PDB file of all heavy atoms in Angstrom:
ATOM      1  N   GLU A  24       8.573  39.288  23.114  1.00  0.00           N
ATOM      2  CA  GLU A  24       8.272  40.516  22.379  1.00  0.00           C
ATOM      3  C   GLU A  24       8.536  41.768  23.196  1.00  0.00           C
ATOM      4  O   GLU A  24       8.676  42.846  22.650  1.00  0.00           O
ATOM      5  CB  GLU A  24       6.818  40.502  21.911  1.00  0.00           C
ATOM      6  CG  GLU A  24       6.554  39.397  20.903  1.00  0.00           C
ATOM      7  CD  GLU A  24       5.154  39.431  20.333  1.00  0.00           C
ATOM      8  OE1 GLU A  24       4.470  40.467  20.455  1.00  0.00           O
ATOM      9  OE2 GLU A  24       4.757  38.409  19.755  1.00  0.00           O
ATOM     10  N   THR A  25       8.625  41.634  24.522  1.00  0.00           N
ATOM     11  CA  THR A  25       8.882  42.799  25.363  1.00  0.00           C
ATOM     12  C   THR A  25      10.357  43.159  25.333  1.00  0.00           C
ATOM     13  O   THR A  25      11.214  42.344  24.994  1.00  0.00           O
ATOM     14  CB  THR A  25       8.445  42.535  26.818  1.00  0.00           C
ATOM     15  OG1 THR A  25       9.153  41.395  27.304  1.00  0.00           O
ATOM     16  CG2 THR A  25       6.951  42.290  26.902  1.00  0.00           C
ATOM     17  N   THR A  26      10.656  44.397  25.686  1.00  0.00           N
ATOM     18  CA  THR A  26      12.038  44.852  25.717  1.00  0.00           C
ATOM     19  C   THR A  26      12.588  44.767  27.133  1.00  0.00           C
ATOM     20  O   THR A  26      11.834  44.641  28.095  1.00  0.00           O
ATOM     21  CB  THR A  26      12.153  46.306  25.221  1.00  0.00           C
ATOM     22  OG1 THR A  26      11.427  47.147  26.120  1.00  0.00           O
ATOM     23  CG2 THR A  26      11.615  46.445  23.819  1.00  0.00           C
ATOM     24  N   GLY A  27      13.887  44.840  27.236  1.00  0.00           N
ATOM     25  CA  GLY A  27      14.504  44.820  28.550  1.00  0.00           C
ATOM     26  C   GLY A  27      15.918  45.340  28.493  1.00  0.00           C
ATOM     27  O   GLY A  27      16.494  45.522  27.415  1.00  0.00           O
ATOM     28  N   SER A  28      16.481  45.561  29.662  1.00  0.00           N
ATOM     29  CA  SER A  28      17.865  46.009  29.763  1.00  0.00           C
ATOM     30  C   SER A  28      18.371  45.729  31.168  1.00  0.00           C
ATOM     31  O   SER A  28      17.592  45.498  32.092  1.00  0.00           O
ATOM     32  CB  SER A  28      17.973  47.502  29.458  1.00  0.00           C
ATOM     33  OG  SER A  28      17.292  48.261  30.437  1.00  0.00           O
ATOM     34  N   PHE A  29      19.696  45.725  31.301  1.00  0.00           N
ATOM     35  CA  PHE A  29      20.310  45.601  32.619  1.00  0.00           C
ATOM     36  C   PHE A  29      21.703  46.210  32.550  1.00  0.00           C
ATOM     37  O   PHE A  29      22.313  46.299  31.490  1.00  0.00           O
ATOM     38  CB  PHE A  29      20.363  44.147  33.106  1.00  0.00           C
ATOM     39  CG  PHE A  29      21.013  43.191  32.147  1.00  0.00           C
ATOM     40  CD1 PHE A  29      22.387  43.021  32.131  1.00  0.00           C
ATOM     41  CD2 PHE A  29      20.236  42.458  31.270  1.00  0.00           C
ATOM     42  CE1 PHE A  29      22.983  42.131  31.249  1.00  0.00           C
ATOM     43  CE2 PHE A  29      20.819  41.564  30.379  1.00  0.00           C
ATOM     44  CZ  PHE A  29      22.193  41.399  30.368  1.00  0.00           C
ATOM     45  N   SER A  30      22.192  46.633  33.700  1.00  0.00           N
ATOM     46  CA  SER A  30      23.531  47.193  33.798  1.00  0.00           C
ATOM     47  C   SER A  30      24.544  46.062  33.732  1.00  0.00           C
ATOM     48  O   SER A  30      24.362  45.014  34.360  1.00  0.00           O
ATOM     49  CB  SER A  30      23.683  47.951  35.116  1.00  0.00           C
ATOM     50  OG  SER A  30      25.014  48.394  35.270  1.00  0.00           O
ATOM     51  N   SER A  31      25.575  46.263  32.947  1.00  0.00           N
ATOM     52  CA  SER A  31      26.656  45.281  32.844  1.00  0.00           C
ATOM     53  C   SER A  31      27.954  46.051  33.060  1.00  0.00           C
ATOM     54  O   SER A  31      28.565  46.532  32.115  1.00  0.00           O
ATOM     55  CB  SER A  31      26.631  44.591  31.481  1.00  0.00           C
ATOM     56  OG  SER A  31      27.630  43.599  31.401  1.00  0.00           O
ATOM     57  N   ALA A  32      28.333  46.204  34.306  1.00  0.00           N
ATOM     58  CA  ALA A  32      29.455  47.063  34.668  1.00  0.00           C
ATOM     59  C   ALA A  32      30.618  46.244  35.211  1.00  0.00           C
ATOM     60  O   ALA A  32      30.531  45.697  36.305  1.00  0.00           O
ATOM     61  CB  ALA A  32      29.007  48.100  35.686  1.00  0.00           C
ATOM     62  N   SER A  33      31.678  46.155  34.431  1.00  0.00           N
ATOM     63  CA  SER A  33      32.918  45.492  34.851  1.00  0.00           C
ATOM     64  C   SER A  33      32.676  44.092  35.396  1.00  0.00           C
ATOM     65  O   SER A  33      33.214  43.722  36.434  1.00  0.00           O
ATOM     66  CB  SER A  33      33.650  46.341  35.895  1.00  0.00           C
ATOM     67  OG  SER A  33      33.992  47.580  35.341  1.00  0.00           O
ATOM     68  N   THR A  34      31.865  43.323  34.680  1.00  0.00           N
ATOM     69  CA  THR A  34      31.598  41.964  35.139  1.00  0.00           C
ATOM     70  C   THR A  34      31.486  41.015  33.957  1.00  0.00           C
ATOM     71  O   THR A  34      30.957  41.378  32.918  1.00  0.00           O
ATOM     72  CB  THR A  34      30.320  41.892  35.990  1.00  0.00           C
ATOM     73  OG1 THR A  34      30.121  40.535  36.400  1.00  0.00           O
ATOM     74  CG2 THR A  34      29.093  42.362  35.223  1.00  0.00           C
ATOM     75  N   SER A  35      31.993  39.830  34.151  1.00  0.00           N
ATOM     76  CA  SER A  35      31.802  38.774  33.167  1.00  0.00           C
ATOM     77  C   SER A  35      30.641  37.869  33.573  1.00  0.00           C
ATOM     78  O   SER A  35      30.379  36.866  32.936  1.00  0.00           O
ATOM     79  CB  SER A  35      33.086  37.949  33.012  1.00  0.00           C
ATOM     80  OG  SER A  35      34.076  38.732  32.387  1.00  0.00           O
ATOM     81  N   ALA A  36      29.952  38.227  34.666  1.00  0.00           N
ATOM     82  CA  ALA A  36      28.799  37.456  35.115  1.00  0.00           C
ATOM     83  C   ALA A  36      27.640  37.686  34.154  1.00  0.00           C
ATOM     84  O   ALA A  36      27.348  38.821  33.781  1.00  0.00           O
ATOM     85  CB  ALA A  36      28.411  37.870  36.525  1.00  0.00           C
ATOM     86  N   PHE A  37      26.999  36.620  33.760  1.00  0.00           N
ATOM     87  CA  PHE A  37      25.872  36.701  32.843  1.00  0.00           C
ATOM     88  C   PHE A  37      24.587  36.977  33.611  1.00  0.00           C
ATOM     89  O   PHE A  37      24.371  36.438  34.696  1.00  0.00           O
ATOM     90  CB  PHE A  37      25.726  35.391  32.066  1.00  0.00           C
ATOM     91  CG  PHE A  37      26.723  35.232  30.958  1.00  0.00           C
ATOM     92  CD1 PHE A  37      28.016  34.821  31.215  1.00  0.00           C
ATOM     93  CD2 PHE A  37      26.362  35.499  29.648  1.00  0.00           C
ATOM     94  CE1 PHE A  37      28.943  34.671  30.190  1.00  0.00           C
ATOM     95  CE2 PHE A  37      27.268  35.355  28.617  1.00  0.00           C
ATOM     96  CZ  PHE A  37      28.557  34.943  28.884  1.00  0.00           C
ATOM     97  N   ALA A  38      23.718  37.825  33.040  1.00  0.00           N
ATOM     98  CA  ALA A  38      22.415  38.149  33.622  1.00  0.00           C
ATOM     99  C   ALA A  38      21.323  37.623  32.700  1.00  0.00           C
ATOM    100  O   ALA A  38      21.493  37.550  31.484  1.00  0.00           O
ATOM    101  CB  ALA A  38      22.272  39.657  33.785  1.00  0.00           C
ATOM    102  N   ASP A  39      20.182  37.261  33.290  1.00  0.00           N
ATOM    103  CA  ASP A  39      19.053  36.732  32.509  1.00  0.00           C
ATOM    104  C   ASP A  39      18.517  37.755  31.525  1.00  0.00           C
ATOM    105  O   ASP A  39      18.377  38.934  31.865  1.00  0.00           O
ATOM    106  CB  ASP A  39      17.888  36.350  33.426  1.00  0.00           C
ATOM    107  CG  ASP A  39      18.162  35.125  34.277  1.00  0.00           C
ATOM    108  OD1 ASP A  39      19.226  34.495  34.099  1.00  0.00           O
ATOM    109  OD2 ASP A  39      17.305  34.797  35.121  1.00  0.00           O
ATOM    110  N   LEU A  40      18.198  37.309  30.324  1.00  0.00           N
ATOM    111  CA  LEU A  40      17.354  38.069  29.416  1.00  0.00           C
ATOM    112  C   LEU A  40      15.945  37.637  29.814  1.00  0.00           C
ATOM    113  O   LEU A  40      15.435  36.607  29.358  1.00  0.00           O
ATOM    114  CB  LEU A  40      17.661  37.755  27.946  1.00  0.00           C
ATOM    115  CG  LEU A  40      18.796  38.568  27.311  1.00  0.00           C
ATOM    116  CD1 LEU A  40      20.124  38.322  27.989  1.00  0.00           C
ATOM    117  CD2 LEU A  40      18.883  38.291  25.846  1.00  0.00           C
ATOM    118  N   THR A  41      15.385  38.369  30.761  1.00  0.00           N
ATOM    119  CA  THR A  41      14.135  37.987  31.413  1.00  0.00           C
ATOM    120  C   THR A  41      13.049  37.666  30.399  1.00  0.00           C
ATOM    121  O   THR A  41      12.775  38.451  29.507  1.00  0.00           O
ATOM    122  CB  THR A  41      13.671  39.118  32.359  1.00  0.00           C
ATOM    123  OG1 THR A  41      14.738  39.414  33.254  1.00  0.00           O
ATOM    124  CG2 THR A  41      12.438  38.703  33.134  1.00  0.00           C
ATOM    125  N   GLY A  42      12.458  36.475  30.565  1.00  0.00           N
ATOM    126  CA  GLY A  42      11.393  36.033  29.676  1.00  0.00           C
ATOM    127  C   GLY A  42      11.873  35.157  28.541  1.00  0.00           C
ATOM    128  O   GLY A  42      11.073  34.618  27.781  1.00  0.00           O
ATOM    129  N   LEU A  43      13.187  34.993  28.407  1.00  0.00           N
ATOM    130  CA  LEU A  43      13.729  34.185  27.315  1.00  0.00           C
ATOM    131  C   LEU A  43      14.256  32.859  27.875  1.00  0.00           C
ATOM    132  O   LEU A  43      15.453  32.579  27.896  1.00  0.00           O
ATOM    133  CB  LEU A  43      14.817  34.950  26.570  1.00  0.00           C
ATOM    134  CG  LEU A  43      15.094  34.523  25.141  1.00  0.00           C
ATOM    135  CD1 LEU A  43      13.821  34.469  24.295  1.00  0.00           C
ATOM    136  CD2 LEU A  43      16.089  35.444  24.484  1.00  0.00           C
ATOM    137  N   ALA A  44      13.301  32.045  28.352  1.00  0.00           N
ATOM    138  CA  ALA A  44      13.617  30.747  28.934  1.00  0.00           C
ATOM    139  C   ALA A  44      12.496  29.769  28.589  1.00  0.00           C
ATOM    140  O   ALA A  44      11.334  30.176  28.431  1.00  0.00           O
ATOM    141  CB  ALA A  44      13.756  30.854  30.450  1.00  0.00           C
ATOM    142  N   VAL A  45      12.863  28.499  28.470  1.00  0.00           N
ATOM    143  CA  VAL A  45      11.880  27.438  28.250  1.00  0.00           C
ATOM    144  C   VAL A  45      12.227  26.261  29.142  1.00  0.00           C
ATOM    145  O   VAL A  45      13.393  26.051  29.485  1.00  0.00           O
ATOM    146  CB  VAL A  45      11.828  26.970  26.774  1.00  0.00           C
ATOM    147  CG1 VAL A  45      11.275  28.047  25.879  1.00  0.00           C
ATOM    148  CG2 VAL A  45      13.172  26.516  26.283  1.00  0.00           C
ATOM    149  N   THR A  46      11.207  25.504  29.506  1.00  0.00           N
ATOM    150  CA  THR A  46      11.398  24.305  30.319  1.00  0.00           C
ATOM    151  C   THR A  46      10.856  23.110  29.561  1.00  0.00           C
ATOM    152  O   THR A  46       9.757  23.171  29.007  1.00  0.00           O
ATOM    153  CB  THR A  46      10.680  24.452  31.675  1.00  0.00           C
ATOM    154  OG1 THR A  46      11.235  25.587  32.367  1.00  0.00           O
ATOM    155  CG2 THR A  46      10.859  23.210  32.533  1.00  0.00           C
ATOM    156  N   ILE A  47      11.641  22.040  29.526  1.00  0.00           N
ATOM    157  CA  ILE A  47      11.257  20.801  28.856  1.00  0.00           C
ATOM    158  C   ILE A  47      11.562  19.647  29.801  1.00  0.00           C
ATOM    159  O   ILE A  47      12.538  19.698  30.556  1.00  0.00           O
ATOM    160  CB  ILE A  47      11.989  20.649  27.503  1.00  0.00           C
ATOM    161  CG1 ILE A  47      11.410  19.499  26.688  1.00  0.00           C
ATOM    162  CG2 ILE A  47      13.490  20.533  27.687  1.00  0.00           C
ATOM    163  CD1 ILE A  47      11.891  19.472  25.231  1.00  0.00           C
ATOM    164  N   THR A  48      10.727  18.621  29.773  1.00  0.00           N
ATOM    165  CA  THR A  48      10.953  17.422  30.570  1.00  0.00           C
ATOM    166  C   THR A  48      11.243  16.274  29.617  1.00  0.00           C
ATOM    167  O   THR A  48      10.331  15.752  28.976  1.00  0.00           O
ATOM    168  CB  THR A  48       9.723  17.099  31.450  1.00  0.00           C
ATOM    169  OG1 THR A  48       9.430  18.245  32.266  1.00  0.00           O
ATOM    170  CG2 THR A  48       9.990  15.906  32.344  1.00  0.00           C
ATOM    171  N   PRO A  49      12.519  15.897  29.476  1.00  0.00           N
ATOM    172  CA  PRO A  49      12.864  14.802  28.565  1.00  0.00           C
ATOM    173  C   PRO A  49      12.187  13.502  28.979  1.00  0.00           C
ATOM    174  O   PRO A  49      12.010  13.229  30.171  1.00  0.00           O
ATOM    175  CB  PRO A  49      14.387  14.698  28.704  1.00  0.00           C
ATOM    176  CG  PRO A  49      14.826  16.024  29.231  1.00  0.00           C
ATOM    177  CD  PRO A  49      13.702  16.481  30.110  1.00  0.00           C
ATOM    178  N   SER A  50      11.826  12.690  27.992  1.00  0.00           N
ATOM    179  CA  SER A  50      11.143  11.424  28.278  1.00  0.00           C
ATOM    180  C   SER A  50      12.116  10.289  28.564  1.00  0.00           C
ATOM    181  O   SER A  50      11.708   9.244  29.068  1.00  0.00           O
ATOM    182  CB  SER A  50      10.223  11.055  27.116  1.00  0.00           C
ATOM    183  OG  SER A  50      10.962  10.942  25.923  1.00  0.00           O
ATOM    184  N   ALA A  51      13.398  10.476  28.247  1.00  0.00           N
ATOM    185  CA  ALA A  51      14.408   9.444  28.515  1.00  0.00           C
ATOM    186  C   ALA A  51      15.749  10.121  28.796  1.00  0.00           C
ATOM    187  O   ALA A  51      16.029  11.201  28.272  1.00  0.00           O
ATOM    188  CB  ALA A  51      14.539   8.515  27.315  1.00  0.00           C
ATOM    189  N   THR A  52      16.575   9.489  29.618  1.00  0.00           N
ATOM    190  CA  THR A  52      17.889  10.056  29.926  1.00  0.00           C
ATOM    191  C   THR A  52      18.812  10.046  28.710  1.00  0.00           C
ATOM    192  O   THR A  52      19.783  10.794  28.666  1.00  0.00           O
ATOM    193  CB  THR A  52      18.578   9.305  31.080  1.00  0.00           C
ATOM    194  OG1 THR A  52      18.693   7.919  30.727  1.00  0.00           O
ATOM    195  CG2 THR A  52      17.793   9.441  32.374  1.00  0.00           C
ATOM    196  N   SER A  53      18.502   9.219  27.716  1.00  0.00           N
ATOM    197  CA  SER A  53      19.335   9.150  26.509  1.00  0.00           C
ATOM    198  C   SER A  53      18.960  10.205  25.463  1.00  0.00           C
ATOM    199  O   SER A  53      19.655  10.362  24.457  1.00  0.00           O
ATOM    200  CB  SER A  53      19.238   7.760  25.885  1.00  0.00           C
ATOM    201  OG  SER A  53      17.883   7.482  25.541  1.00  0.00           O
ATOM    202  N   SER A  54      17.893  10.941  25.693  1.00  0.00           N
ATOM    203  CA  SER A  54      17.447  11.950  24.725  1.00  0.00           C
ATOM    204  C   SER A  54      18.443  13.092  24.613  1.00  0.00           C
ATOM    205  O   SER A  54      19.116  13.452  25.579  1.00  0.00           O
ATOM    206  CB  SER A  54      16.092  12.532  25.135  1.00  0.00           C
ATOM    207  OG  SER A  54      15.080  11.569  24.995  1.00  0.00           O
ATOM    208  N   LYS A  55      18.509  13.672  23.443  1.00  0.00           N
ATOM    209  CA  LYS A  55      19.279  14.887  23.198  1.00  0.00           C
ATOM    210  C   LYS A  55      18.284  16.040  23.133  1.00  0.00           C
ATOM    211  O   LYS A  55      17.129  15.861  22.753  1.00  0.00           O
ATOM    212  CB  LYS A  55      20.028  14.809  21.866  1.00  0.00           C
ATOM    213  CG  LYS A  55      20.911  13.600  21.718  1.00  0.00           C
ATOM    214  CD  LYS A  55      22.262  13.863  22.253  1.00  0.00           C
ATOM    215  CE  LYS A  55      23.185  12.719  21.880  1.00  0.00           C
ATOM    216  NZ  LYS A  55      24.182  12.494  22.886  1.00  0.00           N
ATOM    217  N   ILE A  56      18.748  17.237  23.479  1.00  0.00           N
ATOM    218  CA  ILE A  56      17.916  18.428  23.383  1.00  0.00           C
ATOM    219  C   ILE A  56      18.581  19.383  22.404  1.00  0.00           C
ATOM    220  O   ILE A  56      19.712  19.840  22.640  1.00  0.00           O
ATOM    221  CB  ILE A  56      17.724  19.122  24.751  1.00  0.00           C
ATOM    222  CG1 ILE A  56      17.146  18.147  25.785  1.00  0.00           C
ATOM    223  CG2 ILE A  56      16.834  20.357  24.598  1.00  0.00           C
ATOM    224  CD1 ILE A  56      15.761  17.613  25.485  1.00  0.00           C
ATOM    225  N   LEU A  57      17.903  19.667  21.298  1.00  0.00           N
ATOM    226  CA  LEU A  57      18.397  20.618  20.313  1.00  0.00           C
ATOM    227  C   LEU A  57      17.835  21.985  20.669  1.00  0.00           C
ATOM    228  O   LEU A  57      16.614  22.160  20.755  1.00  0.00           O
ATOM    229  CB  LEU A  57      17.966  20.210  18.900  1.00  0.00           C
ATOM    230  CG  LEU A  57      18.380  21.147  17.775  1.00  0.00           C
ATOM    231  CD1 LEU A  57      19.904  21.282  17.700  1.00  0.00           C
ATOM    232  CD2 LEU A  57      17.821  20.660  16.440  1.00  0.00           C
ATOM    233  N   ILE A  58      18.732  22.949  20.886  1.00  0.00           N
ATOM    234  CA  ILE A  58      18.356  24.301  21.309  1.00  0.00           C
ATOM    235  C   ILE A  58      18.714  25.250  20.175  1.00  0.00           C
ATOM    236  O   ILE A  58      19.843  25.229  19.683  1.00  0.00           O
ATOM    237  CB  ILE A  58      19.144  24.724  22.569  1.00  0.00           C
ATOM    238  CG1 ILE A  58      19.030  23.657  23.656  1.00  0.00           C
ATOM    239  CG2 ILE A  58      18.690  26.089  23.069  1.00  0.00           C
ATOM    240  CD1 ILE A  58      20.193  23.645  24.608  1.00  0.00           C
ATOM    241  N   PHE A  59      17.766  26.058  19.756  1.00  0.00           N
ATOM    242  CA  PHE A  59      18.087  27.050  18.740  1.00  0.00           C
ATOM    243  C   PHE A  59      17.168  28.254  18.882  1.00  0.00           C
ATOM    244  O   PHE A  59      16.133  28.203  19.534  1.00  0.00           O
ATOM    245  CB  PHE A  59      18.037  26.469  17.322  1.00  0.00           C
ATOM    246  CG  PHE A  59      16.697  25.905  16.927  1.00  0.00           C
ATOM    247  CD1 PHE A  59      15.786  26.673  16.237  1.00  0.00           C
ATOM    248  CD2 PHE A  59      16.367  24.594  17.226  1.00  0.00           C
ATOM    249  CE1 PHE A  59      14.559  26.150  15.865  1.00  0.00           C
ATOM    250  CE2 PHE A  59      15.142  24.063  16.860  1.00  0.00           C
ATOM    251  CZ  PHE A  59      14.234  24.842  16.174  1.00  0.00           C
ATOM    252  N   GLY A  60      17.579  29.340  18.280  1.00  0.00           N
ATOM    253  CA  GLY A  60      16.809  30.573  18.323  1.00  0.00           C
ATOM    254  C   GLY A  60      17.705  31.745  18.017  1.00  0.00           C
ATOM    255  O   GLY A  60      18.762  31.595  17.409  1.00  0.00           O
ATOM    256  N   HIS A  61      17.286  32.903  18.472  1.00  0.00           N
ATOM    257  CA  HIS A  61      18.089  34.100  18.253  1.00  0.00           C
ATOM    258  C   HIS A  61      17.727  35.154  19.296  1.00  0.00           C
ATOM    259  O   HIS A  61      16.633  35.147  19.858  1.00  0.00           O
ATOM    260  CB  HIS A  61      17.858  34.674  16.852  1.00  0.00           C
ATOM    261  CG  HIS A  61      16.523  35.319  16.689  1.00  0.00           C
ATOM    262  ND1 HIS A  61      15.363  34.613  16.512  1.00  0.00           N
ATOM    263  CD2 HIS A  61      16.164  36.619  16.715  1.00  0.00           C
ATOM    264  CE1 HIS A  61      14.345  35.446  16.421  1.00  0.00           C
ATOM    265  NE2 HIS A  61      14.801  36.669  16.543  1.00  0.00           N
ATOM    266  N   THR A  62      18.695  36.037  19.533  1.00  0.00           N
ATOM    267  CA  THR A  62      18.456  37.200  20.378  1.00  0.00           C
ATOM    268  C   THR A  62      18.665  38.446  19.526  1.00  0.00           C
ATOM    269  O   THR A  62      19.422  38.425  18.563  1.00  0.00           O
ATOM    270  CB  THR A  62      19.422  37.256  21.580  1.00  0.00           C
ATOM    271  OG1 THR A  62      20.765  37.257  21.102  1.00  0.00           O
ATOM    272  CG2 THR A  62      19.221  36.074  22.503  1.00  0.00           C
ATOM    273  N   VAL A  63      17.997  39.509  19.903  1.00  0.00           N
ATOM    274  CA  VAL A  63      18.193  40.810  19.267  1.00  0.00           C
ATOM    275  C   VAL A  63      18.697  41.730  20.368  1.00  0.00           C
ATOM    276  O   VAL A  63      18.006  41.975  21.351  1.00  0.00           O
ATOM    277  CB  VAL A  63      16.889  41.336  18.637  1.00  0.00           C
ATOM    278  CG1 VAL A  63      17.125  42.680  17.971  1.00  0.00           C
ATOM    279  CG2 VAL A  63      16.339  40.323  17.630  1.00  0.00           C
ATOM    280  N   VAL A  64      19.959  42.204  20.215  1.00  0.00           N
ATOM    281  CA  VAL A  64      20.639  42.883  21.314  1.00  0.00           C
ATOM    282  C   VAL A  64      21.283  44.185  20.858  1.00  0.00           C
ATOM    283  O   VAL A  64      21.516  44.411  19.676  1.00  0.00           O
ATOM    284  CB  VAL A  64      21.711  41.964  21.940  1.00  0.00           C
ATOM    285  CG1 VAL A  64      21.071  40.753  22.593  1.00  0.00           C
ATOM    286  CG2 VAL A  64      22.739  41.529  20.909  1.00  0.00           C
ATOM    287  N   ALA A  65      21.586  45.024  21.838  1.00  0.00           N
ATOM    288  CA  ALA A  65      22.283  46.285  21.626  1.00  0.00           C
ATOM    289  C   ALA A  65      22.963  46.653  22.940  1.00  0.00           C
ATOM    290  O   ALA A  65      22.722  46.030  23.976  1.00  0.00           O
ATOM    291  CB  ALA A  65      21.317  47.387  21.203  1.00  0.00           C
ATOM    292  N   SER A  66      23.808  47.687  22.898  1.00  0.00           N
ATOM    293  CA  SER A  66      24.442  48.143  24.127  1.00  0.00           C
ATOM    294  C   SER A  66      24.627  49.654  24.082  1.00  0.00           C
ATOM    295  O   SER A  66      24.582  50.268  23.022  1.00  0.00           O
ATOM    296  CB  SER A  66      25.796  47.455  24.340  1.00  0.00           C
ATOM    297  OG  SER A  66      26.723  47.871  23.375  1.00  0.00           O
TER     298      SER A  66
END
Side-chain angles (χ1 to χ4, degrees):
E24 295 185 17
T25 58
T26 63
S28 65
F29 54 85
S30 175
S31 183
S33 299
T34 180
S35 291
F37 283 80
D39 290 355
L40 274 62
T41 306
L43 203 52
V45 292
T46 300
I47 190 168
T48 304
S50 59
T52 57
S53 60
S54 291
K55 305 272 190 213
I56 304 297
L57 178 60
I58 309 154
F59 60 94
H61 72 282
T62 57
V63 181
V64 295
S66 68

